[in-house]
Amino acid sequence: MNRDRIGGMNADELKYPGSHRIYIQGKMHPQVQVSMREIVQEDTVFPDGKTEPNAPVRVYDCSGPWGDSAYHGDEERGLPHLRADWIRERGDIEVEDGGGLKAANVTTPPTQRYYATQGIITPEMEYVAIRENLGRESVYRAVYDRFPSDKSRPEAAQMLLDELGTGMPRPSELEAQPGFGPTSLCSRADLAYQHPAVLQQGSHMPAFYTPEFVRDEIAAGRALIPVNINHPECEPMIIGRNFLCKVNANIGNSALASDIVKEVEKLRWAIHWGADTVMDLSTGKDIHRTREWILRNSPVPIGTVPMYQSLEKCSGAVAHLSWPVFRDTLIEQARQGVDYVTVHAALLRRFVPHTARRAAGIVSRGGSIIAKWMMIHQQENFLYTHWDEICDILATYDVAISIGDGLRPGAIADANDFAQLAELEVQGELTRRAWNKGVQVMNEGPGHVPMHLVPENMRKQLEWCYEAPFYTLGPLATDIAPGYDHITGAIGGALIARRGCAMLCYVTRKEHLGLPDKEDVREGVVTYKLAAHAADLAKGHPGAQLRDNALAKARFEFRWEDQFNLSLDPHRAREYHDLTLPHANAKKAHFCSMCGPDFCAMKLSQEIKNLDM
Amino acid sequence: MNRDRIGGMNADELKYPGSHRIYIQGKMHPQVQVSMREIVQEDTVFPDGKTEPNAPVRVYDCSGPWGDSAYHGDEERGLPHLRADWIRERGDIEVEDGGGLKAANVTTPPTQRYYATQGIITPEMEYVAIRENLGRESVYRAVYDRFPSDKSRPEAAQMLLDELGTGMPRPSELEAQPGFGPTSLCSRADLAYQHPAVLQQGSHMPAFYTPEFVRDEIAAGRALIPVNINHPECEPMIIGRNFLCKVNANIGNSALASDIVKEVEKLRWAIHWGADTVMDLSTGKDIHRTREWILRNSPVPIGTVPMYQSLEKCSGAVAHLSWPVFRDTLIEQARQGVDYVTVHAALLRRFVPHTARRAAGIVSRGGSIIAKWMMIHQQENFLYTHWDEICDILATYDVAISIGDGLRPGAIADANDFAQLAELEVQGELTRRAWNKGVQVMNEGPGHVPMHLVPENMRKQLEWCYEAPFYTLGPLATDIAPGYDHITGAIGGALIARRGCAMLCYVTRKEHLGLPDKEDVREGVVTYKLAAHAADLAKGHPGAQLRDNALAKARFEFRWEDQFNLSLDPHRAREYHDLTLPHANAKKAHFCSMCGPDFCAMKLSQEIKNLDM
């Protein structure tokens, strides 16, 4: 084990075994180099001793330069400015006092939404198109180029490339093609097979993502790329229901626990496991400086709730909050490079009394702050009354808006109640107005919702908020499992993502109980990645099943190392296997500890294949 | 801490804090005493210092006498024979050589199904009716009896008892009733409120379970009570989609790890956490003796896969298996008291070649054994050809049949394929035939299934198997998360249970990797209990939301101890809270470590309630 420490972590913890970083170059924008992780596999060994290679599997990678073994930066210096030239070359920005960038002209905001509506395909858009394809084209080619019959290969390859992963014919249908006889244990076509999914509510997944498709989705408001022009370190990623479902992880110190270096470590840890965005929810001291460290070291979009820092500026006194304090905080954060902000502008004064009879009242921190302010001052929410000014500020820097759901239910009993749905309707109104200012938008959603009420949430959000991406916290499918709320949230999360929710905010097992530690973050992120992936399979993302198929094939062939390496958490998979069969040769064994050699179904199943049927 | 050891466990581990055992007596059968756990709660304390009691919450309890602090038995002696008189008094059994019981007459099998079809309501049926009601009647009365207005109480109580938990009016509607003014923080009606659920596929939940309803469900084949007449220690429980969704946990030694005492400990551990049935999947030595210990100490139904012991009798040589060996094993287990058996009789010879092109072949142990036998002997499955004889044996002892799914998919790629569905159709045929013999039946189901293919499984099972209860292993919603497969299975499990799956077989995080240890069993059972509960909420079990409501109320009122005690795993909830706020007075604090005092949404929310709105 390499015991070099990276802050509180050791280097081995941040490595994926059997993997290396690759980059795929853009075609429209050759300066685009999309990072991915490629997992290499062992050969399949047949009973007669012959072998066949297994194509490497490419997976989405959120770790940025930190995940590239050739990168040797450190936290003090911050990450390279990947997007600096792209931003500069658009010629629509100017340098502010203090060195940051801002829009040169308010009528041409430097936002991905503005470009998209103007028909401009930015490098960011091509980046995400390549990223969402998961390197499938070359993988499929590799699979089919190995096909032994010269006669059938061109037809198979053509068929594959025509379809590129969606609704690939099953082997039995392939067999009807000339040259496709019954094949060996590791059928090539199986790797590309994917169950066809019928999408709901008007979503659709293309067979292959193109930059033009990305542009179109952003222009329609169905997707956003949260990338502040002052966060050039950020690798573009897209949030929208016709793409891979994304996962957000929260970090941030609180008044009771605070350490800047630890927050950067948490960031690296969260993105290592696959957090697509990270929200810095710090409420303690040094909020600005903590955020600076995070931003300069983050290859993923950083979100915040500016109300928290605003309240800190008022020493925690809600009564002293005001629009000027909030506005200045928002500008400060936008200049710093925050990629998206949660603003609870849809929580109107008249909704608050409807929370009085709830089981759990208001459970959103931002929501409860602004609700209390409204009750004290007997005035309408200043975030609502100053919405246009908020949007102008955000458009100046391409900060995306995540319209908060301050009245999200905090108990099963409160799900889908008047207060929640009333706010959702206002979120829709604010979405339109933000779009008109060129701002990219998503809407935040619940919360605690029983399974049967989840579809209504998604349906109403799509309808009332004009198909803007939905970003939910869970939803948690029951209240009775504190200590397991990452799982109650994964159930609701998979369910709503399958119906089109674009991003899930993770919940850790410490939810409702305490602050997550390192292991909680790992368990939380991986849990939400698997929930998001389950939804991607169901909604028919064209490349989603590739990894499942590769892992299942490795499992069936007893390629234990490949099985571990292909999994979301290879360290844990290997560790669990080691617990009962620690010897290295058990990683080659054609059985495992669960059933032993005589009762191994997969071993028997392979033997059956070798019998004459 | 009490450090008395119960085998490998200490006594405190097997206690639920703030809880005690209660028994509810039957009315038709006064000898029926249904065990439940009652969780007591602290009073609510209002800002003015006034207090109000919170009614205790009754929860389903699988632990039997082991969970009663007044019980002082031990494993050597075995549990008391709860059902001995009930069985004897029916007058339809006789004593076999060796002392066991069997049917006196083959035309009147002593099965719950036979009684149900004859219009007989057994003590077992009344037991489960009371059990499924979760002690709601008295809880609701307690809630309403506290209502301060004499004028409104009778009306409220009447309204409540009329509805008894289903579609309870929300507080706002209650306010329109005379005497119901705006109430305090802890609204009484909130505790009884439950979201109405629209059931799918013709299921329906009664507002209140009656013994007659239970009888009707069993007669229709929609439910079963697996209780062998030779397992008088067993507390009756019901498996059916119009009841609480149940969870099975597997235990059992394998060739690589074996210890009888440990298996009994695992049993007690699993039922402590809420396993409704336990399958003994032992394949190592001492199978008979291990099972004897388990049966004599189990208050829950025990299931087995008799093929495993049959194969052991053939020293692991599949070729030597035969109908006589299997028959004798089945009789041996039936006489011993096994409550249900998995038999892979629906896996026909002609289906096997369809597994050759699968990603993961055959992953069922029993399925692969019988498939290999068929391939070796080129004969039809002897379990299928001897089905009627199997049913006659099972009917003699009231052993329920769980028709196995030997061709369940072991990979996402294989879900809902020809082999799987072909077997399901035969399961339907065998279901009918077993019913005609008076045998109680359920059907086993997948496996690995992506979310969007789950509904087809449930729909076809209900249609093809005549609404017999479905009992699934997961299904796992993705293949890529080894080490987290309890969660991938909980996602699929909640989904299929919500659509009517009657029982979920748990999957531990060690699935695919190794043998579960004690913590894995705990995590696995609790995970599946929460998934089953999420489904119960969604399918509208009339008392399901009571516990969520009580926990949410405790949470909102900062009654930390009650929040822990009401949760599925109080030990873990408390442990997690202790990690950041270990001091005892933090359990009274009106905030927690997550946000600190200034940013506590619930604290702010309570303050808002006290402001003039």
Side-chain angles (χ1 to χ4, degrees):
Chain A
M1 284 278 280
N2 180 346
R3 287 281 165 204
D4 287 347
R5 305 296 288 183
I6 299 172
M9 300 175 286
N10 75 58
D12 276 354
E13 282 185 317
L14 288 171
K15 278 182 193 151
Y16 281 101
S19 298
H20 58 260
R21 166 61 56 85
I22 61 161
Y23 293 92
I24 301 179
Q25 192 174 22
K27 287 174 185 162
M28 293 180 67
H29 300 282
Q31 70 273 39
V32 164
Q33 295 283 344
V34 180
S35 66
M36 276 178 208
R37 180 161 64 91
E38 191 169 82
I39 306 167
V40 293
Q41 297 194 78
E42 294 171 8
D43 290 353
T44 295
V45 182
F46 296 98
D48 61 5
K50 285 190 185 145
T51 63
E52 188 179 69
N54 288 292
V57 175
R58 292 173 175 183
V59 297
Y60 200 101
D61 190 346
C62 299
S63 63
W66 299 115
D68 185 343
S69 58
Y71 177 70
H72 299 289
D74 60 55
E75 284 89 342
E76 297 270 344
R77 204 169 50 185
L79 295 177
H81 290 191
L82 172 74
R83 296 169 52 242
D85 290 345
W86 313 353
I87 295 163
R88 196 179 313 111
E89 283 164 10
R90 290 192 275 259
D92 55 1
I93 46 111
E94 61 183 30
V95 179
E96 282 195 301
D97 299 343
L101 304 178
K102 68 168 188 176
N105 187 331
V106 288
T107 60
T108 59
T111 71
Q112 297 293 320
R113 174 173 172 81
Y114 177 74
Y115 305 136
T117 55
Q118 298 299 306
I120 298 165
I121 294 174
T122 61
E124 287 86 347
M125 295 173 197
E126 187 179 20
Y127 193 105
V128 300
I130 295 168
R131 203 171 192 185
E132 294 283 324
N133 279 325
L134 300 171
R136 280 181 297 139
E137 191 171 359
S138 65
V139 173
Y140 285 2
R141 273 191 202 279
V143 171
Y144 274 76
D145 284 350
R146 285 207 323 273
F147 200 80
S149 158
D150 279 339
K151 185 156 175 267
S152 63
R153 187 170 50 199
E155 290 159 29
Q158 190 52 52
M159 191 190 306
L160 177 82
L161 292 173
D162 285 350
E163 299 279 342
L164 228 42
T166 46
M168 269 294 296
R170 292 233 64 169
S172 55
E173 296 163 42
L174 275 182
E175 277 179 38
Q177 302 292 325
F180 277 84
T183 61
S184 63
L185 196 63
C186 51
S187 154
R188 291 146 203 83
D190 275 338
L191 192 61
Y193 173 70
Q194 178 152 337
H195 290 290
V198 178
L199 279 171
Q200 300 177 349
Q201 293 155 340
S203 305
H204 74 291
M205 296 273 165
F208 209 72
Y209 291 100
T210 60
E212 176 57 29
F213 179 84
V214 170
R215 189 207 60 74
D216 196 53
E217 289 290 295
I218 294 172
R222 282 192 296 267
L224 70 155
I225 299 178
V227 274
N228 188 320
I229 54 172
N230 288 312
H231 187 199
E233 300 90 347
C234 189
E235 295 182 347
M237 54 79 70
I238 193 160
I239 302 168
R241 73 182 190 282
N242 293 325
F243 300 91
L244 291 163
C245 176
K246 303 303 188 294
V247 171
N248 172 71
N250 295 331
I251 59 173
N253 51 15
S254 81
L256 302 182
S258 173
D259 182 334
I260 289 179
V261 176
K262 273 199 181 153
E263 294 308 310
V264 177
E265 276 178 24
K266 278 191 217 163
L267 164 75
R268 289 186 53 186
W269 186 243
I271 63 178
H272 169 74
W273 292 111
D276 293 284
T277 75
V278 166
M279 289 193 81
D280 172 20
L281 302 184
S282 295
T283 56
K285 286 172 186 169
D286 290 325
I287 290 184
H288 185 97
R289 203 159 63 91
T290 304
R291 197 168 51 232
E292 184 66 21
W293 277 66
I294 290 172
L295 280 164
R296 300 291 76 83
N297 286 291
S298 178
V300 304
I302 298 296
T304 62
V305 185
M307 184 58 86
Y308 298 170
Q309 192 183 3
S310 306
L311 186 59
E312 284 293 339
K313 289 180 179 175
C314 300
S315 307
V318 172
H320 296 171
L321 279 171
S322 66
W323 162 243
V325 171
F326 183 84
R327 180 196 57 213
D328 293 348
T329 307
L330 192 62
I331 293 170
E332 172 189 335
Q333 298 197 5
R335 286 179 173 165
Q336 213 174 359
V338 166
D339 301 288
Y340 67 91
V341 289
T342 297
V343 179
H344 296 93
L347 198 176
L348 303 190
R349 187 180 161 195
R350 65 177 183 273
F351 303 156
V352 178
H354 291 275
T355 66
R357 295 299 299 270
R358 279 181 156 188
I362 303 175
V363 296
S364 149
R365 283 196 284 183
S368 62
I369 293 166
I370 199 66
K372 186 171 177 184
W373 184 90
M374 290 190 281
M375 293 303 104
I376 292 170
H377 294 286
Q378 298 283 307
Q379 287 175 26
E380 188 53 279
N381 184 342
F382 63 75
L383 302 168
Y384 179 78
T385 55
H386 292 273
W387 185 245
D388 289 339
E389 291 156 88
I390 289 171
C391 292
D392 286 336
I393 294 166
L394 301 180
T396 305
Y397 306 90
D398 199 7
V399 178
I401 181 87
S402 186
I403 305 177
D405 59 331
L407 300 181
R408 68 169 174 267
I412 290 295
D414 299 339
N416 296 20
D417 73 351
F418 176 84
Q420 181 200 335
L421 296 177
E423 187 180 18
L424 182 62
E425 249 185 317
V426 180
Q427 286 178 290
E429 174 205 328
L430 298 178
T431 295
R432 279 251 145 143
R433 288 169 56 189
W435 280 343
N436 289 340
K437 296 276 190 178
V439 178
Q440 301 189 96
V441 182
M442 56 185 166
N443 300 131
E444 295 186 11
H448 294 235
V449 182
M451 294 174 76
H452 64 301
L453 300 188
V454 165
E456 183 187 11
N457 275 277
M458 194 68 232
R459 200 168 54 239
K460 290 200 161 132
Q461 190 273 336
L462 285 176
E463 188 183 326
W464 294 354
C465 301
Y466 313 100
E467 301 191 56
F470 207 21
Y471 165 33
T472 60
L473 181 66
L476 279 61
T478 166
D479 296 337
I480 68 167
Y484 297 78
D485 275 335
H486 59 313
I487 304 177
T488 61
I491 291 172
L495 207 60
I496 200 161
R498 181 257 181 289
R499 289 178 174 270
C501 179
M503 184 157 77
L504 304 174
C505 181
Y506 91 155
V507 169
T508 75
R509 54 193 179 188
K510 292 275 175 64
E511 182 75 14
H512 300 116
L513 299 169
L515 289 172
D517 64 18
K518 197 177 143 191
E519 280 307 300
D520 300 329
V521 170
R522 169 188 179 180
E523 174 118 4
V525 174
V526 175
T527 297
Y528 275 76
K529 290 302 276 189
L530 75 85
H533 181 77
D536 288 334
L537 288 177
K539 70 184 191 178
H541 183 282
Q545 203 180 305
L546 204 64
R547 191 171 178 179
D548 295 79
N549 293 353
L551 194 145
K553 185 169 181 285
R555 181 177 280 158
F556 190 64
E557 295 173 4
F558 297 102
R559 285 185 278 114
W560 289 98
E561 294 289 346
D562 288 349
Q563 187 187 157
F564 304 150
N565 294 347
L566 286 162
S567 66
L568 285 174
D569 186 344
H571 301 283
R572 182 187 272 196
R574 182 174 285 102
E575 178 198 329
Y576 283 180
H577 190 264
D578 283 350
L579 283 173
T580 24
L581 292 176
H583 300 297
N585 57 9
K587 306 291 182 283
K588 303 278 181 188
H590 277 210
F591 63 91
C592 69
S593 61
M594 285 168 285
C595 310
D598 285 345
F599 283 86
C600 179
M602 291 204 298
K603 183 165 173 283
L604 285 170
S605 183
Q606 291 207 2
E607 288 167 12
I608 290 165
K609 291 175 76 82
N610 299 329
L611 291 168
D612 186 30
M613 291 195 282
Chain B
M1 284 278 282
N2 181 346
R3 286 282 164 202
D4 289 346
R5 305 297 289 183
I6 299 171
M9 300 175 286
N10 75 56
D12 277 353
E13 281 185 319
L14 288 171
K15 279 181 192 152
Y16 281 101
S19 297
H20 57 261
R21 166 61 56 86
I22 60 161
Y23 293 92
I24 301 180
Q25 192 175 23
K27 287 173 185 164
M28 294 179 67
H29 300 282
Q31 69 272 40
V32 164
Q33 295 283 345
V34 181
S35 65
M36 275 178 209
R37 180 161 63 91
E38 192 168 83
I39 306 166
V40 294
Q41 297 194 79
E42 295 171 6
D43 291 353
T44 295
V45 182
F46 295 98
D48 62 6
K50 284 189 186 146
T51 63
E52 188 178 67
N54 288 291
V57 175
R58 292 172 175 183
V59 297
Y60 200 102
D61 189 347
C62 300
S63 64
W66 299 117
D68 185 343
S69 58
Y71 177 71
H72 299 289
D74 60 56
E75 284 89 343
E76 297 268 346
R77 203 169 53 185
L79 294 177
H81 289 190
L82 173 73
R83 295 169 52 241
D85 291 344
W86 312 353
I87 295 164
R88 196 180 313 111
E89 283 164 10
R90 288 193 276 259
D92 55 1
I93 46 113
E94 61 183 29
V95 178
E96 283 194 301
D97 299 342
L101 305 178
K102 68 167 187 175
N105 187 331
V106 288
T107 60
T108 60
T111 70
Q112 297 294 319
R113 175 172 172 81
Y114 176 75
Y115 305 136
T117 56
Q118 299 300 307
I120 297 165
I121 294 173
T122 62
E124 287 86 347
M125 295 173 198
E126 188 179 21
Y127 192 106
V128 300
I130 294 168
R131 204 170 192 184
E132 293 283 325
N133 280 324
L134 300 171
R136 280 181 297 138
E137 191 171 358
S138 64
V139 173
Y140 287 0
R141 273 190 201 282
V143 171
Y144 274 77
D145 284 352
R146 285 207 323 273
F147 199 80
S149 157
D150 280 337
K151 182 154 177 271
S152 62
R153 188 170 51 200
E155 290 159 28
Q158 191 51 53
M159 189 190 307
L160 177 82
L161 292 173
D162 286 350
E163 300 278 342
L164 227 43
T166 46
M168 269 295 295
R170 292 232 66 167
S172 54
E173 297 163 41
L174 275 182
E175 276 178 40
Q177 302 291 325
F180 278 83
T183 61
S184 62
L185 195 63
C186 49
S187 153
R188 292 145 203 84
D190 274 338
L191 192 61
Y193 173 70
Q194 179 152 338
H195 290 289
V198 178
L199 279 171
Q200 300 178 348
Q201 293 155 337
S203 306
H204 74 291
M205 296 273 165
F208 209 72
Y209 291 100
T210 61
E212 176 56 30
F213 179 84
V214 171
R215 190 206 58 74
D216 195 53
E217 289 290 294
I218 294 172
R222 280 192 297 267
L224 70 154
I225 300 179
V227 275
N228 188 321
I229 54 173
N230 289 312
H231 187 200
E233 300 90 346
C234 189
E235 294 182 348
M237 54 79 69
I238 193 160
I239 301 168
R241 73 182 190 282
N242 293 325
F243 299 91
L244 291 163
C245 177
K246 303 304 187 295
V247 171
N248 172 71
N250 296 331
I251 60 174
N253 50 16
S254 82
L256 301 183
S258 171
D259 181 335
I260 290 179
V261 176
K262 273 200 183 154
E263 293 308 311
V264 177
E265 275 177 26
K266 278 191 215 162
L267 164 75
R268 289 186 55 187
W269 187 243
I271 63 178
H272 169 75
W273 292 112
D276 294 284
T277 76
V278 167
M279 289 192 82
D280 172 19
L281 302 184
S282 294
T283 57
K285 288 172 184 170
D286 289 326
I287 290 185
H288 185 95
R289 203 160 63 91
T290 305
R291 196 169 51 231
E292 184 65 23
W293 277 66
I294 290 172
L295 280 163
R296 300 291 76 82
N297 286 292
S298 177
V300 305
I302 297 297
T304 63
V305 185
M307 184 59 85
Y308 298 170
Q309 192 183 2
S310 306
L311 187 59
E312 284 293 339
K313 289 179 180 175
C314 300
S315 306
V318 171
H320 296 170
L321 280 171
S322 65
W323 163 242
V325 171
F326 183 84
R327 179 196 59 213
D328 293 349
T329 307
L330 192 62
I331 292 170
E332 172 191 335
Q333 298 197 5
R335 285 179 174 165
Q336 212 175 359
V338 166
D339 301 287
Y340 66 91
V341 289
T342 297
V343 179
H344 296 93
L347 199 176
L348 302 190
R349 187 179 161 196
R350 66 176 182 273
F351 303 157
V352 178
H354 290 277
T355 66
R357 296 297 301 271
R358 278 179 157 188
I362 302 175
V363 296
S364 150
R365 284 196 283 183
S368 61
I369 292 166
I370 199 66
K372 187 172 176 183
W373 185 90
M374 291 191 281
M375 293 303 103
I376 291 170
H377 295 286
Q378 298 283 306
Q379 288 175 27
E380 188 52 279
N381 185 341
F382 63 73
L383 302 169
Y384 180 78
T385 55
H386 292 273
W387 185 247
D388 289 340
E389 291 155 271
I390 289 172
C391 291
D392 285 337
I393 294 166
L394 301 180
T396 305
Y397 306 90
D398 199 7
V399 179
I401 181 85
S402 186
I403 305 178
D405 59 333
L407 301 181
R408 68 169 174 268
I412 290 295
D414 299 339
N416 296 21
D417 73 352
F418 176 83
Q420 181 200 336
L421 297 178
E423 187 180 18
L424 182 62
E425 248 185 317
V426 180
Q427 287 178 290
E429 174 205 329
L430 298 178
T431 295
R432 277 250 146 143
R433 288 168 57 190
W435 279 343
N436 289 340
K437 298 276 190 179
V439 178
Q440 302 189 94
V441 182
M442 57 185 164
N443 300 131
E444 294 186 12
H448 293 233
V449 183
M451 293 174 77
H452 64 300
L453 300 188
V454 165
E456 183 187 12
N457 275 277
M458 195 67 233
R459 200 168 54 240
K460 290 200 161 131
Q461 190 273 337
L462 285 176
E463 188 183 326
W464 295 354
C465 302
Y466 313 100
E467 302 191 56
F470 207 21
Y471 165 31
T472 59
L473 181 67
L476 279 62
T478 166
D479 296 336
I480 68 167
Y484 297 78
D485 275 336
H486 59 312
I487 303 177
T488 61
I491 291 172
L495 208 58
I496 200 161
R498 181 257 181 288
R499 289 178 175 269
C501 179
M503 184 156 77
L504 304 175
C505 181
Y506 92 156
V507 169
T508 74
R509 54 192 178 189
K510 291 274 175 64
E511 182 75 14
H512 301 115
L513 298 169
L515 290 171
D517 64 18
K518 196 176 145 192
E519 280 308 299
D520 300 330
V521 171
R522 170 188 178 179
E523 174 117 4
V525 174
V526 175
T527 296
Y528 275 76
K529 291 301 276 189
L530 76 84
H533 181 76
D536 288 335
L537 289 176
K539 69 186 192 178
H541 184 283
Q545 202 180 306
L546 203 64
R547 191 171 179 179
D548 296 79
N549 292 354
L551 194 144
K553 185 169 181 287
R555 181 177 281 157
F556 190 64
E557 294 173 6
F558 297 101
R559 285 184 279 116
W560 289 97
E561 294 289 347
D562 288 348
Q563 188 187 156
F564 304 150
N565 295 347
L566 287 162
S567 67
L568 286 175
D569 187 345
H571 300 282
R572 182 187 272 197
R574 182 174 285 101
E575 178 198 331
Y576 283 180
H577 190 262
D578 284 350
L579 284 173
T580 23
L581 291 176
H583 300 297
N585 58 8
K587 304 291 182 283
K588 303 276 184 191
H590 277 212
F591 63 91
C592 68
S593 61
M594 286 168 285
C595 311
D598 286 346
F599 283 87
C600 178
M602 292 203 295
K603 183 166 174 279
L604 285 170
S605 183
Q606 293 206 3
E607 288 167 11
I608 290 164
K609 292 176 75 81
N610 299 329
L611 291 167
D612 186 28
M613 292 196 282

